[in-house]
């Protein structure tokens, strides 16, 4: 489906706001892009393609910021991406039916919304004195599971990974945010490659150009101002509510066909 001029303008404004908010904490906003595109009745091939492309644009700036400010520890990040990248590629290359895709997407959006709400309400301490050590196999397993989910629906997976690592007290907040950003970037690139491999990449140029420009500007603003203690708790909660509502709608209407 090609958006109308009005629909495209509204979507770009919303995407801009999402990019500002998510980039401020190192995320890409993939789940929210999918939620908005689902409301606009965009085809599910286009939804995944656009969400992944926007993710890549936003978290590229965040990842660069973390590297430049020395919050980047590649040695600790490698176990996560070694398993997540190939599985994100495989997940994206699956030729899902539209109903199966929307079933998975509905559950993922609902889970993402609940995790986002939980994260804003309860943020475990990231003090270095409280950090814990875990067997490295856990990092590989987390990467694999989240990578596969990311590829299937077209998100980077950071919205799942970061809260889990905060709960586990895996590292300080800046290190977890840096990992989440890098994790989203490499998984989004891998999933994007999976869509190309499966020949299901669909990016209408008249839509993609404006959306990419919107999230690029929003992401750059979020990166530059967000890490200076920008508080977006209420906005995140509203975003989570939107994603939750859309997730339930996608599950019932598109996935289960219970409501017409």
């Amino acid at each position: 489906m090609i958006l109308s001029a009005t629909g495209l303008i509204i979507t770009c404004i919303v995407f801009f706001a999402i990019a500002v908010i998510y980039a401020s904490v190192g995320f890409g906003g993939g789940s929210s892009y999918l939620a908005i595109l689902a409301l606009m009745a965009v085809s599910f091939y286009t939804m995944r393609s656009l969400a992944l492309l926007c993710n890549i644009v936003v978290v590229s700036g965040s990842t660069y910021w973390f590297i430049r400010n020395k919050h980047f520890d590649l040695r600790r990040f490698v176990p996560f991406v070694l398993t997540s990248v190939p599985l994100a590629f495989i997940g994206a290359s699956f030729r899902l039916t539209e109903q199966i895709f929307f079933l998975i997407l509905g559950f993922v959006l609902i889970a993402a919304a609940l995790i986002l709400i939980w994260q804003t309400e309860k943020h475990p301490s990231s003090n270095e004195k409280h950090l814990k050590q875990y067997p490295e196999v856990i990092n590989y397993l987390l990467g694999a599971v989240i990578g596969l989910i990311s590829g299937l629906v077209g998100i980077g997976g950071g919205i799942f990974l970061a809260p889990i690592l905060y709960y586990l007290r895996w590292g300080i907040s800046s290190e977890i945010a840096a990992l989440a950003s890098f994790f989203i970037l490499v998984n989004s690139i891998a999933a994007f490659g999976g869509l190309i491999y499966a020949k299901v990449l669909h990016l209408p140029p008249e839509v993609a150009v404006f959306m990419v420009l919107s999230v690029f500007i929003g992401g750059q603003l979020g990166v530059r101002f967000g890490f200076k203690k920008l508080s977006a708790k209420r906005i995140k909660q509203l975003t989570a509510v939107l994603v939750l509502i859309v997730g339930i709608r996608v599950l019932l209407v598109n996935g289960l066909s219970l409501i017409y």
Side-chain angles (χ1 to χ4, degrees), residues 36-72:
I36 298 302
L37 292 171
L39 284 177
M40 303 302 290
V42 175
S43 75
F44 77 105
Y45 287 125
T46 306
M47 286 171 60
R48 287 199 293 177
S49 303
L50 286 172
L52 287 171
L53 181 60
C54 290
N55 254 357
I56 293 169
V57 171
V58 173
V59 294
S60 292
S62 303
T63 300
Y64 171 76
W65 187 94
F66 282 118
I67 293 173
R68 190 183 68 181
N69 288 273
K70 301 186 183 344
H71 295 303
F72 203 81

PDB file of all heavy atoms in Angstrom, residues 36-72:
ATOM      1  N   ILE A  36       3.241   1.691  14.247  1.00  0.00           N
ATOM      2  CA  ILE A  36       2.666   2.780  13.445  1.00  0.00           C
ATOM      3  C   ILE A  36       2.310   2.292  12.043  1.00  0.00           C
ATOM      4  O   ILE A  36       1.235   2.579  11.508  1.00  0.00           O
ATOM      5  CB  ILE A  36       3.639   3.966  13.366  1.00  0.00           C
ATOM      6  CG1 ILE A  36       3.907   4.530  14.762  1.00  0.00           C
ATOM      7  CG2 ILE A  36       3.084   5.047  12.438  1.00  0.00           C
ATOM      8  CD1 ILE A  36       2.666   4.996  15.498  1.00  0.00           C
ATOM      9  N   LEU A  37       3.202   1.532  11.433  1.00  0.00           N
ATOM     10  CA  LEU A  37       2.957   1.034  10.077  1.00  0.00           C
ATOM     11  C   LEU A  37       1.778   0.065  10.046  1.00  0.00           C
ATOM     12  O   LEU A  37       1.040   0.008   9.056  1.00  0.00           O
ATOM     13  CB  LEU A  37       4.218   0.367   9.522  1.00  0.00           C
ATOM     14  CG  LEU A  37       5.390   1.320   9.251  1.00  0.00           C
ATOM     15  CD1 LEU A  37       6.658   0.534   8.922  1.00  0.00           C
ATOM     16  CD2 LEU A  37       5.053   2.286   8.122  1.00  0.00           C
ATOM     17  N   ALA A  38       1.604  -0.695  11.139  1.00  0.00           N
ATOM     18  CA  ALA A  38       0.447  -1.594  11.218  1.00  0.00           C
ATOM     19  C   ALA A  38      -0.845  -0.791  11.250  1.00  0.00           C
ATOM     20  O   ALA A  38      -1.847  -1.167  10.623  1.00  0.00           O
ATOM     21  CB  ALA A  38       0.550  -2.485  12.458  1.00  0.00           C
ATOM     22  N   LEU A  39      -0.840   0.328  11.970  1.00  0.00           N
ATOM     23  CA  LEU A  39      -2.018   1.191  12.016  1.00  0.00           C
ATOM     24  C   LEU A  39      -2.330   1.791  10.651  1.00  0.00           C
ATOM     25  O   LEU A  39      -3.488   2.031  10.315  1.00  0.00           O
ATOM     26  CB  LEU A  39      -1.809   2.319  13.032  1.00  0.00           C
ATOM     27  CG  LEU A  39      -1.935   1.965  14.506  1.00  0.00           C
ATOM     28  CD1 LEU A  39      -1.617   3.190  15.359  1.00  0.00           C
ATOM     29  CD2 LEU A  39      -3.322   1.445  14.836  1.00  0.00           C
ATOM     30  N   MET A  40      -1.270   2.033   9.862  1.00  0.00           N
ATOM     31  CA  MET A  40      -1.448   2.640   8.541  1.00  0.00           C
ATOM     32  C   MET A  40      -1.781   1.597   7.478  1.00  0.00           C
ATOM     33  O   MET A  40      -1.892   1.917   6.299  1.00  0.00           O
ATOM     34  CB  MET A  40      -0.177   3.396   8.135  1.00  0.00           C
ATOM     35  CG  MET A  40       0.258   4.472   9.121  1.00  0.00           C
ATOM     36  SD  MET A  40      -0.988   5.743   9.412  1.00  0.00           S
ATOM     37  CE  MET A  40      -0.964   6.603   7.841  1.00  0.00           C
ATOM     38  N   ALA A  41      -1.931   0.330   7.901  1.00  0.00           N
ATOM     39  CA  ALA A  41      -2.304  -0.772   6.993  1.00  0.00           C
ATOM     40  C   ALA A  41      -1.283  -0.963   5.867  1.00  0.00           C
ATOM     41  O   ALA A  41      -1.648  -1.252   4.726  1.00  0.00           O
ATOM     42  CB  ALA A  41      -3.700  -0.544   6.413  1.00  0.00           C
ATOM     43  N   VAL A  42      -0.005  -0.806   6.200  1.00  0.00           N
ATOM     44  CA  VAL A  42       1.065  -1.053   5.229  1.00  0.00           C
ATOM     45  C   VAL A  42       1.283  -2.552   5.116  1.00  0.00           C
ATOM     46  O   VAL A  42       1.146  -3.289   6.088  1.00  0.00           O
ATOM     47  CB  VAL A  42       2.362  -0.335   5.694  1.00  0.00           C
ATOM     48  CG1 VAL A  42       3.533  -0.677   4.784  1.00  0.00           C
ATOM     49  CG2 VAL A  42       2.138   1.166   5.727  1.00  0.00           C
ATOM     50  N   SER A  43       1.634  -3.049   3.940  1.00  0.00           N
ATOM     51  CA  SER A  43       1.832  -4.481   3.743  1.00  0.00           C
ATOM     52  C   SER A  43       2.947  -5.003   4.627  1.00  0.00           C
ATOM     53  O   SER A  43       3.886  -4.278   4.959  1.00  0.00           O
ATOM     54  CB  SER A  43       2.174  -4.780   2.275  1.00  0.00           C
ATOM     55  OG  SER A  43       3.511  -4.411   1.987  1.00  0.00           O
ATOM     56  N   PHE A  44       2.849  -6.270   5.041  1.00  0.00           N
ATOM     57  CA  PHE A  44       3.795  -6.775   6.030  1.00  0.00           C
ATOM     58  C   PHE A  44       5.214  -6.896   5.480  1.00  0.00           C
ATOM     59  O   PHE A  44       6.186  -6.802   6.221  1.00  0.00           O
ATOM     60  CB  PHE A  44       3.299  -8.083   6.645  1.00  0.00           C
ATOM     61  CG  PHE A  44       3.462  -9.312   5.810  1.00  0.00           C
ATOM     62  CD1 PHE A  44       4.452 -10.231   6.104  1.00  0.00           C
ATOM     63  CD2 PHE A  44       2.595  -9.587   4.753  1.00  0.00           C
ATOM     64  CE1 PHE A  44       4.590 -11.393   5.361  1.00  0.00           C
ATOM     65  CE2 PHE A  44       2.724 -10.736   4.010  1.00  0.00           C
ATOM     66  CZ  PHE A  44       3.730 -11.646   4.316  1.00  0.00           C
ATOM     67  N   TYR A  45       5.396  -7.060   4.179  1.00  0.00           N
ATOM     68  CA  TYR A  45       6.742  -7.041   3.610  1.00  0.00           C
ATOM     69  C   TYR A  45       7.349  -5.644   3.732  1.00  0.00           C
ATOM     70  O   TYR A  45       8.511  -5.473   4.100  1.00  0.00           O
ATOM     71  CB  TYR A  45       6.715  -7.453   2.134  1.00  0.00           C
ATOM     72  CG  TYR A  45       6.468  -8.927   1.906  1.00  0.00           C
ATOM     73  CD1 TYR A  45       5.415  -9.355   1.088  1.00  0.00           C
ATOM     74  CD2 TYR A  45       7.279  -9.886   2.504  1.00  0.00           C
ATOM     75  CE1 TYR A  45       5.184 -10.710   0.881  1.00  0.00           C
ATOM     76  CE2 TYR A  45       7.054 -11.238   2.313  1.00  0.00           C
ATOM     77  CZ  TYR A  45       6.004 -11.648   1.493  1.00  0.00           C
ATOM     78  OH  TYR A  45       5.779 -12.982   1.289  1.00  0.00           O
ATOM     79  N   THR A  46       6.551  -4.636   3.434  1.00  0.00           N
ATOM     80  CA  THR A  46       7.022  -3.258   3.519  1.00  0.00           C
ATOM     81  C   THR A  46       7.292  -2.858   4.966  1.00  0.00           C
ATOM     82  O   THR A  46       8.248  -2.138   5.264  1.00  0.00           O
ATOM     83  CB  THR A  46       5.993  -2.295   2.900  1.00  0.00           C
ATOM     84  OG1 THR A  46       5.694  -2.717   1.566  1.00  0.00           O
ATOM     85  CG2 THR A  46       6.512  -0.873   2.873  1.00  0.00           C
ATOM     86  N   MET A  47       6.452  -3.327   5.892  1.00  0.00           N
ATOM     87  CA  MET A  47       6.628  -3.020   7.303  1.00  0.00           C
ATOM     88  C   MET A  47       7.998  -3.443   7.790  1.00  0.00           C
ATOM     89  O   MET A  47       8.735  -2.652   8.399  1.00  0.00           O
ATOM     90  CB  MET A  47       5.545  -3.725   8.134  1.00  0.00           C
ATOM     91  CG  MET A  47       4.162  -3.125   8.043  1.00  0.00           C
ATOM     92  SD  MET A  47       2.910  -4.171   8.836  1.00  0.00           S
ATOM     93  CE  MET A  47       3.515  -4.232  10.510  1.00  0.00           C
ATOM     94  N   ARG A  48       8.355  -4.688   7.546  1.00  0.00           N
ATOM     95  CA  ARG A  48       9.655  -5.187   8.001  1.00  0.00           C
ATOM     96  C   ARG A  48      10.798  -4.429   7.358  1.00  0.00           C
ATOM     97  O   ARG A  48      11.784  -4.075   8.018  1.00  0.00           O
ATOM     98  CB  ARG A  48       9.790  -6.690   7.702  1.00  0.00           C
ATOM     99  CG  ARG A  48       8.958  -7.581   8.594  1.00  0.00           C
ATOM    100  CD  ARG A  48       9.470  -9.000   8.584  1.00  0.00           C
ATOM    101  NE  ARG A  48       9.304  -9.646   7.279  1.00  0.00           N
ATOM    102  CZ  ARG A  48       9.731 -10.873   6.995  1.00  0.00           C
ATOM    103  NH1 ARG A  48      10.370 -11.576   7.903  1.00  0.00           N
ATOM    104  NH2 ARG A  48       9.527 -11.392   5.807  1.00  0.00           N
ATOM    105  N   SER A  49      10.687  -4.194   6.077  1.00  0.00           N
ATOM    106  CA  SER A  49      11.763  -3.529   5.342  1.00  0.00           C
ATOM    107  C   SER A  49      11.994  -2.110   5.865  1.00  0.00           C
ATOM    108  O   SER A  49      13.136  -1.709   6.123  1.00  0.00           O
ATOM    109  CB  SER A  49      11.431  -3.490   3.843  1.00  0.00           C
ATOM    110  OG  SER A  49      11.212  -4.789   3.334  1.00  0.00           O
ATOM    111  N   LEU A  50      10.911  -1.353   6.029  1.00  0.00           N
ATOM    112  CA  LEU A  50      11.040   0.026   6.496  1.00  0.00           C
ATOM    113  C   LEU A  50      11.530   0.092   7.939  1.00  0.00           C
ATOM    114  O   LEU A  50      12.376   0.934   8.282  1.00  0.00           O
ATOM    115  CB  LEU A  50       9.704   0.754   6.371  1.00  0.00           C
ATOM    116  CG  LEU A  50       9.262   1.147   4.961  1.00  0.00           C
ATOM    117  CD1 LEU A  50       7.826   1.672   4.981  1.00  0.00           C
ATOM    118  CD2 LEU A  50      10.198   2.209   4.387  1.00  0.00           C
ATOM    119  N   ALA A  51      11.001  -0.784   8.803  1.00  0.00           N
ATOM    120  CA  ALA A  51      11.404  -0.762  10.212  1.00  0.00           C
ATOM    121  C   ALA A  51      12.892  -1.067  10.358  1.00  0.00           C
ATOM    122  O   ALA A  51      13.599  -0.415  11.140  1.00  0.00           O
ATOM    123  CB  ALA A  51      10.573  -1.773  11.010  1.00  0.00           C
ATOM    124  N   LEU A  52      13.385  -2.038   9.622  1.00  0.00           N
ATOM    125  CA  LEU A  52      14.807  -2.388   9.699  1.00  0.00           C
ATOM    126  C   LEU A  52      15.688  -1.266   9.168  1.00  0.00           C
ATOM    127  O   LEU A  52      16.721  -0.933   9.764  1.00  0.00           O
ATOM    128  CB  LEU A  52      15.078  -3.686   8.926  1.00  0.00           C
ATOM    129  CG  LEU A  52      14.572  -4.966   9.580  1.00  0.00           C
ATOM    130  CD1 LEU A  52      14.688  -6.148   8.626  1.00  0.00           C
ATOM    131  CD2 LEU A  52      15.359  -5.253  10.859  1.00  0.00           C
ATOM    132  N   LEU A  53      15.288  -0.673   8.055  1.00  0.00           N
ATOM    133  CA  LEU A  53      16.075   0.416   7.478  1.00  0.00           C
ATOM    134  C   LEU A  53      16.140   1.600   8.446  1.00  0.00           C
ATOM    135  O   LEU A  53      17.214   2.187   8.663  1.00  0.00           O
ATOM    136  CB  LEU A  53      15.460   0.857   6.151  1.00  0.00           C
ATOM    137  CG  LEU A  53      16.193   1.986   5.412  1.00  0.00           C
ATOM    138  CD1 LEU A  53      17.624   1.576   5.085  1.00  0.00           C
ATOM    139  CD2 LEU A  53      15.437   2.365   4.133  1.00  0.00           C
ATOM    140  N   CYS A  54      15.001   1.949   9.050  1.00  0.00           N
ATOM    141  CA  CYS A  54      14.978   3.056  10.008  1.00  0.00           C
ATOM    142  C   CYS A  54      15.823   2.729  11.233  1.00  0.00           C
ATOM    143  O   CYS A  54      16.524   3.601  11.778  1.00  0.00           O
ATOM    144  CB  CYS A  54      13.544   3.371  10.422  1.00  0.00           C
ATOM    145  SG  CYS A  54      12.551   4.133   9.102  1.00  0.00           S
ATOM    146  N   ASN A  55      15.772   1.489  11.683  1.00  0.00           N
ATOM    147  CA  ASN A  55      16.603   1.053  12.804  1.00  0.00           C
ATOM    148  C   ASN A  55      18.079   1.289  12.511  1.00  0.00           C
ATOM    149  O   ASN A  55      18.823   1.819  13.333  1.00  0.00           O
ATOM    150  CB  ASN A  55      16.396  -0.443  13.056  1.00  0.00           C
ATOM    151  CG  ASN A  55      15.560  -0.717  14.295  1.00  0.00           C
ATOM    152  OD1 ASN A  55      15.177   0.202  15.007  1.00  0.00           O
ATOM    153  ND2 ASN A  55      15.281  -1.965  14.547  1.00  0.00           N
ATOM    154  N   ILE A  56      18.513   0.856  11.341  1.00  0.00           N
ATOM    155  CA  ILE A  56      19.919   0.977  10.954  1.00  0.00           C
ATOM    156  C   ILE A  56      20.359   2.434  10.962  1.00  0.00           C
ATOM    157  O   ILE A  56      21.429   2.781  11.475  1.00  0.00           O
ATOM    158  CB  ILE A  56      20.157   0.346   9.567  1.00  0.00           C
ATOM    159  CG1 ILE A  56      19.950  -1.170   9.636  1.00  0.00           C
ATOM    160  CG2 ILE A  56      21.560   0.661   9.054  1.00  0.00           C
ATOM    161  CD1 ILE A  56      19.893  -1.857   8.279  1.00  0.00           C
ATOM    162  N   VAL A  57      19.522   3.299  10.407  1.00  0.00           N
ATOM    163  CA  VAL A  57      19.850   4.726  10.333  1.00  0.00           C
ATOM    164  C   VAL A  57      19.996   5.325  11.738  1.00  0.00           C
ATOM    165  O   VAL A  57      20.950   6.057  12.023  1.00  0.00           O
ATOM    166  CB  VAL A  57      18.769   5.487   9.542  1.00  0.00           C
ATOM    167  CG1 VAL A  57      18.981   6.997   9.647  1.00  0.00           C
ATOM    168  CG2 VAL A  57      18.787   5.060   8.076  1.00  0.00           C
ATOM    169  N   VAL A  58      19.061   5.009  12.638  1.00  0.00           N
ATOM    170  CA  VAL A  58      19.064   5.610  13.978  1.00  0.00           C
ATOM    171  C   VAL A  58      20.226   5.097  14.830  1.00  0.00           C
ATOM    172  O   VAL A  58      20.973   5.887  15.422  1.00  0.00           O
ATOM    173  CB  VAL A  58      17.725   5.351  14.694  1.00  0.00           C
ATOM    174  CG1 VAL A  58      17.790   5.830  16.146  1.00  0.00           C
ATOM    175  CG2 VAL A  58      16.591   6.063  13.964  1.00  0.00           C
ATOM    176  N   VAL A  59      20.400   3.772  14.908  1.00  0.00           N
ATOM    177  CA  VAL A  59      21.413   3.242  15.830  1.00  0.00           C
ATOM    178  C   VAL A  59      22.834   3.371  15.298  1.00  0.00           C
ATOM    179  O   VAL A  59      23.786   3.211  16.060  1.00  0.00           O
ATOM    180  CB  VAL A  59      21.124   1.764  16.215  1.00  0.00           C
ATOM    181  CG1 VAL A  59      19.854   1.669  17.019  1.00  0.00           C
ATOM    182  CG2 VAL A  59      21.065   0.875  14.996  1.00  0.00           C
ATOM    183  N   SER A  60      22.998   3.665  14.022  1.00  0.00           N
ATOM    184  CA  SER A  60      24.346   3.952  13.521  1.00  0.00           C
ATOM    185  C   SER A  60      24.924   5.162  14.247  1.00  0.00           C
ATOM    186  O   SER A  60      26.093   5.154  14.668  1.00  0.00           O
ATOM    187  CB  SER A  60      24.315   4.221  12.008  1.00  0.00           C
ATOM    188  OG  SER A  60      23.992   3.059  11.289  1.00  0.00           O
ATOM    189  N   GLY A  61      24.105   6.195  14.425  1.00  0.00           N
ATOM    190  CA  GLY A  61      24.546   7.384  15.154  1.00  0.00           C
ATOM    191  C   GLY A  61      24.811   7.092  16.620  1.00  0.00           C
ATOM    192  O   GLY A  61      25.802   7.572  17.195  1.00  0.00           O
ATOM    193  N   SER A  62      23.941   6.284  17.250  1.00  0.00           N
ATOM    194  CA  SER A  62      24.128   5.943  18.662  1.00  0.00           C
ATOM    195  C   SER A  62      25.404   5.135  18.870  1.00  0.00           C
ATOM    196  O   SER A  62      26.171   5.389  19.808  1.00  0.00           O
ATOM    197  CB  SER A  62      22.919   5.142  19.168  1.00  0.00           C
ATOM    198  OG  SER A  62      21.722   5.851  18.991  1.00  0.00           O
ATOM    199  N   THR A  63      25.622   4.155  17.996  1.00  0.00           N
ATOM    200  CA  THR A  63      26.814   3.316  18.118  1.00  0.00           C
ATOM    201  C   THR A  63      28.081   4.146  17.960  1.00  0.00           C
ATOM    202  O   THR A  63      29.060   3.979  18.707  1.00  0.00           O
ATOM    203  CB  THR A  63      26.791   2.192  17.057  1.00  0.00           C
ATOM    204  OG1 THR A  63      25.619   1.386  17.260  1.00  0.00           O
ATOM    205  CG2 THR A  63      28.031   1.310  17.178  1.00  0.00           C
ATOM    206  N   TYR A  64      28.075   5.057  16.999  1.00  0.00           N
ATOM    207  CA  TYR A  64      29.231   5.951  16.808  1.00  0.00           C
ATOM    208  C   TYR A  64      29.487   6.775  18.060  1.00  0.00           C
ATOM    209  O   TYR A  64      30.637   6.959  18.480  1.00  0.00           O
ATOM    210  CB  TYR A  64      28.986   6.865  15.607  1.00  0.00           C
ATOM    211  CG  TYR A  64      30.034   7.952  15.465  1.00  0.00           C
ATOM    212  CD1 TYR A  64      31.294   7.667  14.968  1.00  0.00           C
ATOM    213  CD2 TYR A  64      29.730   9.266  15.862  1.00  0.00           C
ATOM    214  CE1 TYR A  64      32.248   8.674  14.862  1.00  0.00           C
ATOM    215  CE2 TYR A  64      30.684  10.262  15.750  1.00  0.00           C
ATOM    216  CZ  TYR A  64      31.935   9.962  15.248  1.00  0.00           C
ATOM    217  OH  TYR A  64      32.884  10.951  15.151  1.00  0.00           O
ATOM    218  N   TRP A  65      28.414   7.269  18.680  1.00  0.00           N
ATOM    219  CA  TRP A  65      28.547   8.078  19.894  1.00  0.00           C
ATOM    220  C   TRP A  65      29.188   7.266  21.016  1.00  0.00           C
ATOM    221  O   TRP A  65      30.087   7.749  21.717  1.00  0.00           O
ATOM    222  CB  TRP A  65      27.177   8.587  20.341  1.00  0.00           C
ATOM    223  CG  TRP A  65      27.247   9.558  21.495  1.00  0.00           C
ATOM    224  CD1 TRP A  65      27.296  10.907  21.421  1.00  0.00           C
ATOM    225  CD2 TRP A  65      27.277   9.229  22.888  1.00  0.00           C
ATOM    226  NE1 TRP A  65      27.359  11.452  22.685  1.00  0.00           N
ATOM    227  CE2 TRP A  65      27.354  10.451  23.604  1.00  0.00           C
ATOM    228  CE3 TRP A  65      27.258   8.029  23.602  1.00  0.00           C
ATOM    229  CZ2 TRP A  65      27.399  10.502  24.987  1.00  0.00           C
ATOM    230  CZ3 TRP A  65      27.312   8.074  24.987  1.00  0.00           C
ATOM    231  CH2 TRP A  65      27.376   9.306  25.672  1.00  0.00           C
ATOM    232  N   PHE A  66      28.744   6.024  21.193  1.00  0.00           N
ATOM    233  CA  PHE A  66      29.302   5.178  22.246  1.00  0.00           C
ATOM    234  C   PHE A  66      30.774   4.867  21.999  1.00  0.00           C
ATOM    235  O   PHE A  66      31.578   4.831  22.933  1.00  0.00           O
ATOM    236  CB  PHE A  66      28.501   3.878  22.352  1.00  0.00           C
ATOM    237  CG  PHE A  66      27.190   4.027  23.073  1.00  0.00           C
ATOM    238  CD1 PHE A  66      25.997   3.767  22.426  1.00  0.00           C
ATOM    239  CD2 PHE A  66      27.144   4.423  24.400  1.00  0.00           C
ATOM    240  CE1 PHE A  66      24.783   3.894  23.077  1.00  0.00           C
ATOM    241  CE2 PHE A  66      25.939   4.568  25.077  1.00  0.00           C
ATOM    242  CZ  PHE A  66      24.758   4.298  24.408  1.00  0.00           C
ATOM    243  N   ILE A  67      31.123   4.604  20.746  1.00  0.00           N
ATOM    244  CA  ILE A  67      32.528   4.325  20.420  1.00  0.00           C
ATOM    245  C   ILE A  67      33.386   5.553  20.697  1.00  0.00           C
ATOM    246  O   ILE A  67      34.455   5.463  21.314  1.00  0.00           O
ATOM    247  CB  ILE A  67      32.666   3.901  18.941  1.00  0.00           C
ATOM    248  CG1 ILE A  67      31.987   2.538  18.725  1.00  0.00           C
ATOM    249  CG2 ILE A  67      34.137   3.818  18.543  1.00  0.00           C
ATOM    250  CD1 ILE A  67      31.933   2.119  17.267  1.00  0.00           C
ATOM    251  N   ARG A  68      32.912   6.717  20.253  1.00  0.00           N
ATOM    252  CA  ARG A  68      33.679   7.951  20.426  1.00  0.00           C
ATOM    253  C   ARG A  68      33.877   8.299  21.899  1.00  0.00           C
ATOM    254  O   ARG A  68      34.907   8.848  22.292  1.00  0.00           O
ATOM    255  CB  ARG A  68      32.956   9.100  19.720  1.00  0.00           C
ATOM    256  CG  ARG A  68      33.781  10.376  19.621  1.00  0.00           C
ATOM    257  CD  ARG A  68      32.988  11.497  18.991  1.00  0.00           C
ATOM    258  NE  ARG A  68      31.910  11.939  19.868  1.00  0.00           N
ATOM    259  CZ  ARG A  68      31.058  12.905  19.550  1.00  0.00           C
ATOM    260  NH1 ARG A  68      31.111  13.489  18.370  1.00  0.00           N
ATOM    261  NH2 ARG A  68      30.103  13.263  20.409  1.00  0.00           N
ATOM    262  N   ASN A  69      32.884   7.955  22.729  1.00  0.00           N
ATOM    263  CA  ASN A  69      32.966   8.278  24.152  1.00  0.00           C
ATOM    264  C   ASN A  69      33.477   7.118  25.001  1.00  0.00           C
ATOM    265  O   ASN A  69      33.320   7.120  26.224  1.00  0.00           O
ATOM    266  CB  ASN A  69      31.601   8.747  24.659  1.00  0.00           C
ATOM    267  CG  ASN A  69      31.244  10.128  24.147  1.00  0.00           C
ATOM    268  OD1 ASN A  69      31.608  11.133  24.742  1.00  0.00           O
ATOM    269  ND2 ASN A  69      30.546  10.175  23.016  1.00  0.00           N
ATOM    270  N   LYS A  70      34.050   6.101  24.328  1.00  0.00           N
ATOM    271  CA  LYS A  70      34.740   4.999  25.011  1.00  0.00           C
ATOM    272  C   LYS A  70      33.838   4.188  25.952  1.00  0.00           C
ATOM    273  O   LYS A  70      34.257   3.778  27.034  1.00  0.00           O
ATOM    274  CB  LYS A  70      35.954   5.530  25.783  1.00  0.00           C
ATOM    275  CG  LYS A  70      36.974   6.236  24.916  1.00  0.00           C
ATOM    276  CD  LYS A  70      38.185   6.600  25.722  1.00  0.00           C
ATOM    277  CE  LYS A  70      39.242   7.359  25.004  1.00  0.00           C
ATOM    278  NZ  LYS A  70      39.343   7.474  23.641  1.00  0.00           N
ATOM    279  N   HIS A  71      32.595   3.978  25.533  1.00  0.00           N
ATOM    280  CA  HIS A  71      31.694   3.099  26.277  1.00  0.00           C
ATOM    281  C   HIS A  71      31.574   1.736  25.588  1.00  0.00           C
ATOM    282  O   HIS A  71      30.738   0.916  25.975  1.00  0.00           O
ATOM    283  CB  HIS A  71      30.295   3.724  26.378  1.00  0.00           C
ATOM    284  CG  HIS A  71      30.261   4.988  27.165  1.00  0.00           C
ATOM    285  ND1 HIS A  71      30.693   5.077  28.465  1.00  0.00           N
ATOM    286  CD2 HIS A  71      29.848   6.235  26.828  1.00  0.00           C
ATOM    287  CE1 HIS A  71      30.537   6.320  28.905  1.00  0.00           C
ATOM    288  NE2 HIS A  71      30.032   7.042  27.918  1.00  0.00           N
ATOM    289  N   PHE A  72      32.399   1.522  24.580  1.00  0.00           N
ATOM    290  CA  PHE A  72      32.255   0.364  23.707  1.00  0.00           C
ATOM    291  C   PHE A  72      33.285  -0.696  24.073  1.00  0.00           C
ATOM    292  O   PHE A  72      34.485  -0.449  24.037  1.00  0.00           O
ATOM    293  CB  PHE A  72      32.459   0.813  22.253  1.00  0.00           C
ATOM    294  CG  PHE A  72      31.838  -0.097  21.230  1.00  0.00           C
ATOM    295  CD1 PHE A  72      30.489  -0.022  20.930  1.00  0.00           C
ATOM    296  CD2 PHE A  72      32.615  -1.033  20.571  1.00  0.00           C
ATOM    297  CE1 PHE A  72      29.922  -0.846  19.990  1.00  0.00           C
ATOM    298  CE2 PHE A  72      32.055  -1.864  19.633  1.00  0.00           C
ATOM    299  CZ  PHE A  72      30.702  -1.776  19.337  1.00  0.00           C
TER     300      PHE A  72
END
